[in-house]
Amino acid sequence: MTFHDYLKELPLDDLKLMGETLDVKSSMISRARLLRELPIQMLQPGFIASLTASLSARDRELLVAVMIAGEHGYSCDATTSTDGQLAERLFSLLSKGLIVGRWGYLRSPEYVIPSDISEILERQFRTEILGQLETDTKVDSGMDTGSLAF
């Protein structure tokens, strides 16, 4: 499902929270306006990259875990987790629109990334990972000028 498809299923209060988080402002926000403007804002070039750049390392790890789970969904119940901040981290990713929640198998909460956002994140993380691998390869082969011995 796309980001817009998931938005259509959300109640107005959740849409308003996401609108506030993503800076879609107006004195009178309607459901129709939020459904129109949130995807426009979210899918702007570079917007998702700026959102992920502001995430903590733990939030990024959680986002990658949800991304790897794919369409099956990342099943986790924050109330039974040993990580005391899992609920806050999930809420942060939810309110930014990077993940969406749904009821999964046996009515347990699952988190997924809409397909259009997932494509953007995959390209972004692939570039970051390849860049890191390139840097690691240069350092390992002695091409890093800081590690050269004279």
Side-chain angles (χ1 to χ4, degrees), residues 135-149:
T135 303
D136 291 347
T137 302
K138 287 179 184 177
V139 170
D140 290 343
S141 67
M143 292 178 64
D144 181 28
T145 57
S147 66
L148 292 177

Side-chain angles (χ1 to χ4, degrees), residues 5-15 18 31 100-101:
D5 294 335
Y6 282 110
L7 290 178
K8 290 190 296 188
E9 303 295 322
L10 290 177
L12 182 58
D13 289 339
D14 291 349
L15 289 172
M18 195 177 295
R31 181 176 185 79
V100 294

Side-chain angles (χ1 to χ4, degrees), residues 50-101:
S50 69
L51 284 178
T52 58
S54 68
L55 295 176
S56 69
R58 294 198 48 144
D59 288 349
R60 285 177 69 89
E61 289 171 3
L62 182 57
L63 181 61
V64 169
V66 174
M67 188 172 71
I68 290 171
E71 215 25 63
H72 297 291
Y74 180 77
S75 181
C76 86
D77 186 355
T79 60
T80 61
S81 172
T82 57
D83 178 359
Q85 295 182 341
L86 181 61
E88 291 88 14
R89 291 184 11 235
L90 286 168
F91 180 74
S92 172
L93 293 175
L94 283 163
S95 64
K96 289 177 178 145
L98 292 169
I99 64 173
V100 294

